[in-house]
Amino acid sequence: QQQQQQEPAKPVPPPPEVTVPYLLVGGGTAAHFAVLGILSRDASAEILIVSEEDVRPYQRPPLSKQMWFSREDHSDKFIDWEGQPREIFFLGDSVYKKLEDTTEMGTGPNVYLVNNRKVEELNIGQRYAVLNDGRIVRFNKCLLATGGTPKNIPQLETADSAVRQRTILFRTLNDFHTLEKLVQQNKSVAVVGGGFLGSELSVALASQGKGKVTQIVADDGILSRVLPRYLSVWVAKKIAEYGVDIKTGAKVDSASMEGKQVALELSSGEKVKADVVLVAVGINPNIDLAKKARLEIDDRLGGVVVNSELEARSGVFVAGDVCSFYDITLGRRREEHHEHAVVSGRLAGENMAGAHKPYWHQSLFWSDIGEKVSFEAIGLVDSSLPTLSIWAKGNKETPVITTEDSPAAETNATSDKDGQDVSSADFSPVVDSQAAAEADAEYEKGIVLYLRDNKAVGVVAWNLPNKIPVARKLIREQREVFSAADLAKLFNLYPKSKDGTDE
């Protein structure tokens, strides 16, 4: 019997080319607000978002905050600070059109969203991009809002596959859902990292009352690259009160399987066993596409260099985590915070539509670590700088003042503030008040100033909401720091109560 010969498979033709005025590479916060910026000036805009994720743009901060504490029935809704229910997604699914549906192209405004796709090539001179499915997108203006990729540590990257399968690099909504399922199964978690994300998640996980939570921190305190040493140690104590077993000054030397658990050998000689390892040691900006497109890369900060209008080359703009911008007060910077993504994304969008506005905004960031630690910050918040702290412990006439003086240690701006391989600065605290030096001191509300040439370059408002406008003005004006009493008055540490007395 002769075998029936099969005809050779016909090659699959590449998807048809698409032409849009505005191409946004990346589907996060910066891209969403760029859409709003474009539409504010071009009401009939045709916009294409290319996202590597499988969902529409959403907010990242709630993934380590409200989604653990005020979630509505395991949905993607949470209760915000004003007690109102909110969706984690910026806009409803019906807002976005499929790229296959081009019948309405040219009848904008239209926002097209392509999920699970990556831009592999960006030809700036000829104004086209090539997606990883072969599709060619021709554009007039392009935004790079590629964000960042979570870092890992070598000891876990090179471990066997069973260890890697039990390791989560937390970044996305899918990561949140994966971690939540594991927590509901009473799995124990080892959190590697002592920065914002690692600390927020440690408290969030411990507050669920399920499996044991261990936090492994390479430095000698929590947020030690950000906070003065005394405050870093105090925050560690507050986190421990939630039941988190904190291992400070400990690096992961090796990782292996012991039974069904991951065993982490620490530099301290201790061994930590956990069902899941959660790594939160910062991100690397996604600059590969920009490199291939021969855009200028900031060797020190790691981002894509832009001008004052967030433009890297004519018609190519950059926003969010990957943007290296010039701060007229503090010099060239790269920020990895939500508000920066919001403001830079919107401004880039407006400029793509012809606004020509400079980016001068000092973005804030915030963190909530349990019930007793909540702060907002702005500027250069770096613990290697000298700090002046004022705390509302005394009264209006005699505020308690502490200063943290640290040597001008050489720091690499591209180093990982939470990572394993970054050594701590050697601090020598100088405290102006014995009350502030007490081991059981409480830091309920206060202001921390970060100084350079005796001028404020950064501010942390500790449990003091709505102080950022004052801080922003203080940094912008670059006045020399005056007396602590005037500083307490400026930030209103002792507000009047309704009956007129000092609170």
Side-chain angles (χ1 to χ4, degrees):
Q1 185 179 357
Q2 290 184 338
Q3 291 184 341
Q4 188 177 3
Q5 291 185 345
Q6 294 182 346
E7 294 184 5
K10 295 181 180 179
V12 179
E17 287 191 9
V18 175
T19 300
V20 291
Y22 304 101
L23 170 63
L24 312 184
V25 184
T29 298
H32 166 72
F33 281 91
V35 169
L36 301 185
I38 292 169
L39 292 175
S40 72
R41 293 185 57 85
D42 185 351
S44 60
E46 302 279 353
I47 305 167
L48 171 60
I49 303 172
V50 179
S51 174
E52 294 185 38
E53 293 196 55
D54 59 0
V55 293
R56 61 192 187 274
Y58 60 89
Q59 307 173 63
R60 292 196 194 278
L63 299 181
S64 61
K65 299 178 177 70
Q66 301 101 313
M67 289 286 280
W68 293 98
F69 297 102
S70 61
R71 189 124 163 261
E72 284 198 343
D73 299 325
H74 298 282
S75 68
D76 289 323
K77 293 183 179 180
F78 61 91
I79 306 300
D80 68 12
W81 312 117
E82 297 178 345
Q84 299 299 315
R86 292 190 56 187
E87 279 240 21
I88 196 163
F89 297 103
F90 289 114
L91 297 172
D93 191 47
S94 62
V95 171
Y96 304 98
K97 301 183 185 304
K98 302 293 184 185
L99 191 56
E100 290 73 22
D101 181 18
T102 57
T103 57
E104 297 184 27
M105 189 76 77
T107 63
N110 288 310
V111 181
Y112 296 89
L113 174 63
V114 177
N115 292 114
N116 298 310
R117 289 293 180 265
K118 183 177 182 179
V119 175
E120 296 280 10
E121 180 186 346
L122 184 66
N123 189 312
I124 297 174
Q126 298 186 37
R127 288 291 195 267
Y128 72 83
V130 181
L131 277 55
N132 58 350
D133 63 359
R135 187 188 301 271
I136 293 176
V137 178
R138 299 192 180 277
F139 62 87
N140 184 25
K141 301 287 178 65
C142 177
L143 173 71
L144 295 183
T146 47
T149 299
K151 296 179 182 179
N152 201 346
I153 60 173
Q155 294 79 2
L156 291 170
E157 280 184 315
T158 59
D160 63 39
S161 60
V163 172
R164 296 198 304 271
Q165 289 171 5
R166 291 165 174 78
T167 301
I168 298 175
L169 306 182
F170 195 91
R171 177 72 172 169
T172 68
L173 182 59
N174 285 340
D175 295 333
F176 169 82
H177 288 307
T178 298
L179 183 59
E180 184 188 40
K181 289 178 182 177
L182 293 169
V183 170
Q184 294 303 319
Q185 297 169 13
N186 297 321
K187 301 294 186 182
S188 57
V189 182
V191 179
V192 180
F196 296 106
L197 182 61
S199 300
E200 289 175 1
L201 285 172
S202 291
V203 171
L205 295 174
S207 298
Q208 305 303 301
K210 305 290 185 179
K212 180 180 179 181
V213 179
T214 306
Q215 187 176 7
I216 302 167
V217 184
D219 297 321
D220 58 357
I222 297 297
L223 299 174
S224 63
R225 301 308 170 107
V226 174
L227 300 177
R229 189 176 188 281
Y230 71 92
L231 202 52
S232 170
V233 172
W234 183 82
V235 172
K237 292 178 182 178
K238 295 294 130 184
I239 292 178
E241 290 177 3
Y242 286 89
V244 179
D245 184 8
I246 301 180
K247 311 289 185 184
T248 56
K251 300 178 182 179
V252 176
D253 282 344
S254 65
S256 60
M257 294 299 298
E258 287 192 8
K260 294 184 178 181
Q261 289 189 308
V262 178
L264 302 176
E265 298 282 353
L266 306 185
S267 58
S268 60
E270 296 178 276
K271 178 188 290 187
V272 173
K273 291 184 180 181
D275 299 311
V276 182
V277 180
L278 176 63
V279 182
V281 294
I283 65 171
N284 288 314
N286 292 330
I287 57 175
D288 289 347
L289 180 63
K291 281 183 175 180
K292 289 171 65 176
R294 306 181 72 83
L295 295 175
E296 183 181 357
I297 305 300
D298 189 322
D299 292 335
R300 185 174 65 90
L301 301 176
V304 182
V305 176
V306 297
N307 63 17
S308 62
E309 296 180 9
L310 302 182
E311 197 172 21
R313 283 264 302 272
S314 177
V316 178
F317 296 79
V318 186
D321 299 339
V322 77
C323 174
S324 170
F325 63 97
Y326 185 75
D327 183 317
I328 59 175
T329 302
L330 304 177
R332 187 155 291 278
R333 302 174 65 193
R334 186 176 68 81
E335 291 289 304
E336 297 175 0
H337 302 298
H338 177 77
E339 197 199 39
H340 169 65
V342 170
V343 179
S344 66
R346 179 155 189 132
L347 185 85
E350 291 179 9
N351 287 345
M352 291 172 77
H356 299 291
K357 293 180 179 179
Y359 184 73
W360 55 265
H361 183 70
Q362 284 284 351
S363 294
L364 67 87
F365 62 93
W366 75 95
S367 184
D368 299 293
I369 304 173
E371 296 178 350
K372 290 197 173 182
V373 177
S374 177
F375 64 86
E376 295 177 328
I378 191 171
L380 297 180
V381 180
D382 183 341
S383 62
S384 67
L385 294 169
T387 62
L388 170 67
S389 308
I390 53 176
W391 298 94
K393 293 180 184 178
N395 54 43
K396 186 168 125 180
E397 286 71 31
T398 57
V400 172
I401 307 160
T402 68
T403 62
E404 183 83 14
D405 203 2
S406 57
E410 292 185 4
T411 58
N412 183 349
T414 63
S415 63
D416 174 13
K417 292 194 175 186
D418 301 327
Q420 296 280 314
D421 300 320
V422 185
S423 60
S424 297
D426 191 13
F427 295 106
S428 300
V430 179
V431 182
D432 288 339
S433 168
Q434 289 301 315
E438 293 175 0
D440 59 350
E442 289 292 318
Y443 299 98
E444 293 184 358
K445 62 178 182 177
I447 295 290
V448 181
L449 294 189
Y450 296 75
L451 307 175
R452 188 168 62 190
D453 299 328
N454 207 36
K455 298 174 183 177
V457 293
V459 179
V460 168
W462 196 264
N463 291 325
L464 285 171
N466 305 317
K467 302 300 180 185
I468 291 301
V470 177
R472 187 175 280 126
K473 181 180 179 184
L474 184 64
I475 293 172
R476 184 174 63 248
E477 292 180 350
Q478 285 293 281
R479 292 180 294 169
E480 288 196 4
V481 174
F482 31 82
S483 72
D486 286 341
L487 203 58
K489 182 178 180 181
L490 176 66
F491 284 97
N492 196 21
L493 253 64
Y494 298 89
K496 297 285 185 181
S497 62
K498 291 182 179 180
D499 62 3
T501 60
D502 294 326
E503 291 183 354

